């Protein structure tokens, strides 16, 4: 919805994993909302390992980002959906490389805003106050290397991640 609302020239780019691009999920939803929008998808499989290595501000990452985005930029996109959970961590690098004329959309953020709105409308939002005596109120469960996740999470999250469980 945010991409549809943001585009001025009806040229929307999507960067995501190969699997996400192959489903055409973003294209189908966007075209359902506005059939005149042209959606150009670009799989960017190398960005996930770069993020996981912590190479967020590295010349190699910049080079790979531009290789992936060159075709999208030739289509004169004015809106770019960061369609993988890892990609918003590259937002500042992408912004630096493509400039400010292209609107960047973070679907995770937009989904969280929609969820908050829905929970409030349905009177399901938690109004409880966190117990300050609980030292680690967050629990993280992962499907891969828990130690690597913990180190990575501590580099990007505003909370201290002590442990993660597989």
């Amino acid at each position: 919805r945010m991409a549809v609302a943001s585009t001025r020239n009806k040229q929307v780019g999507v960067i995501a994993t190969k699997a996400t691009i192959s489903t055409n999920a973003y294209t189908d939803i966007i075209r359902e909302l506005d059939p005149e929008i042209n959606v150009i998808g670009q799989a960017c499989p190398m960005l996930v390992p770069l993020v996981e290595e912590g190479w967020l501000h590295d010349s190699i990452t910049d080079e790979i980002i531009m290789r992936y985005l060159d075709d999208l930029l030739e289509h004169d996109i004015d809106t770019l959906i960061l369609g993988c959970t890892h990609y918003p961590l590259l937002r500042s690098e992408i912004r630096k490389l493509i400039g400010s004329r292209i609107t960047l959309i973070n679907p995770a953020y937009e989904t969280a805003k929609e969820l908050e709105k829905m929970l409030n409308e349905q009177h399901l939002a938690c109004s409880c106050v966190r117990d300050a005596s609980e030292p680690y109120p967050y629990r993280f469960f992962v499907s891969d290397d828990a130690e690597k996740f913990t180190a990575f999470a501590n580099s990007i999250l505003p909370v201290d991640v002590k442990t993660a469980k597989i």
Side-chain angles (χ1 to χ4, degrees):
R1 279 184 252 213
M2 184 56 72
V4 171
S6 296
T7 186
R8 298 168 308 283
N9 69 359
K10 298 194 182 284
Q11 299 294 316
V12 174
V14 178
I15 58 174
T17 63
K18 286 180 182 179
T20 299
I21 294 297
S22 71
T23 67
N24 286 319
Y26 283 103
T27 301
D28 293 345
I29 292 168
I30 289 170
R31 299 291 308 281
E32 194 175 292
L33 295 170
D34 184 341
E36 294 181 11
I37 293 178
N38 183 35
V39 181
I40 306 102
Q42 174 64 54
C44 303
M46 291 181 68
L47 295 183
V48 170
L50 291 169
V51 169
E52 290 181 349
E53 283 298 322
W55 295 4
L56 303 178
H57 308 285
D58 189 282
S59 60
I60 292 170
T61 304
D62 290 353
E63 174 71 23
I64 292 170
I65 289 170
M66 285 314 299
R67 283 189 183 217
Y68 285 137
L69 293 184
D70 274 343
D71 187 48
L72 294 176
L73 296 175
E74 287 180 17
H75 282 89
D76 196 33
I77 61 166
D78 71 350
T79 304
L80 178 63
I81 299 171
L82 308 177
C84 171
T85 56
H86 289 68
Y87 299 173
L89 298 171
L90 295 169
R91 182 184 181 98
S92 65
E93 264 332 87
I94 292 170
R95 171 65 62 222
K96 176 183 82 175
L97 294 167
I98 65 172
S100 61
R101 69 175 187 81
I102 297 173
T103 301
L104 299 180
I105 306 292
N106 176 350
Y109 177 76
E110 298 304 327
T111 300
K113 285 181 13 184
E114 284 290 317
L115 177 60
E116 177 185 36
K117 179 181 170 189
M118 183 183 76
L119 290 172
N120 286 325
E121 286 172 353
Q122 299 295 319
H123 307 290
L124 296 172
C126 177
S127 59
C128 56
V129 177
R130 185 178 77 78
D131 182 356
S133 67
E134 186 181 355
Y136 310 113
Y138 305 103
R139 289 180 272 173
F140 297 90
F141 298 90
V142 297
S143 60
D144 200 359
D145 187 336
E147 280 185 37
K148 187 173 182 179
F149 169 81
T150 301
F152 177 68
N154 280 317
S155 74
I156 62 165
L157 295 176
V159 296
D160 189 20
V161 177
K162 295 292 185 191
T163 61
K165 294 180 185 176
I166 292 180

